[in-house]
Each structure stands twice: as C-alpha cells, then as structure tokens.
Amino acid sequence: LAWALRDIDPTRPVWVESESANIGSVQLPYKVIDALRKAPRFEVALPFERRVAATLDEYEGLTQQPEHLKALLSKLKRFLGAKIFCEWEKLIDEGRWEELVADLLVQHYDPSYSRSQAAHREKHNPLVEKLPLPDWDEKSLDEAVVFMETHLQDSEGYRAAYPTHEA
C-alpha cells in the first residue's frame, strides 16, 4: 500500500472504490481516510444483471469450493436468518450461481451498502452525481472517468483542490 501511495500524483484526482478504514487486515493511513471522506463522491451503477455477472467473474474461485463458500456465508446466518441461509445452501448444492449471487446482492450486500453510504453522507460528504454505467468494460469506464473529471473541473471545489491542474 505504501509503495502504491507514494506513486500518486497529488496534482491529479485519484479514483478509488468506497472503502472503510480497513481493507481486510490492512489499515489505511488516517490522512488517506480523511482525504477520502472530504473528496467528492460519485456513485457508479451497473445494471443488476451485469453486477451479477461481474460478481461471479470476480469470485469465480468460490464456485469451485462450495463447502468453503457455505462456511463464509454461515457468518451471515445470524443477521439474515436460517431460512435464507438454507436457501443459499440449496442454490450452492445445485450450482445455481447466478441465482445465489443475485439473492446475496438483494438480501445482504445492497442493503448493507445502502446503510453504510447513508451514514457516510450524513457524517462526511454528499453524493455529487449518480452515474449509470452500461457495462464494466474499458470503454464504459473511460467514458465514466471523462464525465467525472469534466464534472469536477467545472466545480469550484475542484479548482481549489487542484489549482495547478490544467483542464
């Protein structure tokens, strides 16, 4: 993390995924967290079906380890109840991965993320813009970055934060 941070150009915006102070066992430095909390925020939103596919791509290895996946998901049983967990076990046993991921997003991830982001907005900084993305490919991401940079360059806060940046 330290090596990656030292290579960041402080005169340019840095695009990061919303994170907490800890990413796994790594604790982000306070100055990084403070900067993230003060920074303008964009919400990038993929169509639901594309989110399911992207999640499956990202965690494909877990489909090869069904018992390990069940053990990981068992930690959510106390929050969501035995009935939902049993449904997930059945989907795993039957190899119905798309349905499992869709249900995990609806039942657990999206509600948890929404609560977290609402608390963040209240304590730190509001959302600047919601940006729907048609896909998670390089072209869509490049277009999103251009949109966000253009939006920020037009804002007074951006000009104050990056006075030497040439638009």
Side-chain angles (χ1 to χ4, degrees):
L1 178 61
W3 287 108
L5 290 174
R6 76 174 173 74
D7 291 335
I8 291 175
D9 179 353
T11 67
R12 302 282 305 161
V14 176
W15 303 104
V16 296
E17 183 178 358
S18 179
E19 292 291 349
S20 67
N22 297 309
I23 303 172
S25 62
V26 176
Q27 185 171 8
L28 292 175
Y30 174 77
K31 285 188 174 194
V32 172
I33 290 297
D34 189 49
L36 290 175
R37 289 176 176 160
K38 292 176 181 172
R41 294 183 325 115
F42 290 86
E43 180 179 323
V44 178
L46 281 173
F48 187 76
E49 297 78 23
R50 188 61 193 107
R51 289 179 57 219
V52 169
T55 303
L56 272 173
D57 288 346
E58 184 71 24
Y59 295 99
E60 180 183 11
L62 288 175
T63 65
Q64 308 305 314
Q65 304 173 51
E67 295 309 313
H68 178 62
L69 178 56
K70 287 179 190 178
L72 291 172
L73 294 177
S74 71
K75 297 173 184 176
L76 301 176
K77 186 192 270 189
R78 66 184 174 120
F79 301 109
L80 298 170
K83 181 181 178 197
I84 289 173
F85 179 72
C86 286
E87 290 172 13
W88 291 346
E89 283 187 313
K90 182 179 179 189
L91 293 172
I92 291 169
D93 291 340
E94 295 174 359
R96 294 164 49 196
W97 303 115
E98 290 85 6
E99 291 174 67
L100 173 67
V101 170
D103 204 56
L104 280 165
L105 291 173
V106 169
Q107 297 287 344
H108 172 65
Y109 182 82
D110 288 351
S112 296
Y113 187 78
S114 292
R115 284 189 302 273
S116 168
Q117 291 304 300
H120 183 87
R121 280 191 298 274
E122 288 177 20
K123 288 172 68 177
H124 304 293
N125 55 354
L127 186 65
V128 172
E129 186 87 33
K130 189 168 187 170
L131 179 61
L133 223 73
D135 206 341
W136 198 242
D137 60 2
E138 191 171 338
K139 179 180 183 284
S140 297
L141 292 172
D142 287 346
E143 289 171 359
V145 168
V146 168
F147 172 85
M148 291 184 287
E149 284 188 335
T150 301
H151 186 84
L152 286 177
Q153 288 171 1
D154 292 339
S155 73
E156 187 177 318
Y158 179 89
R159 289 190 298 274
Y162 302 103
T164 61
H165 177 72
E166 297 293 324

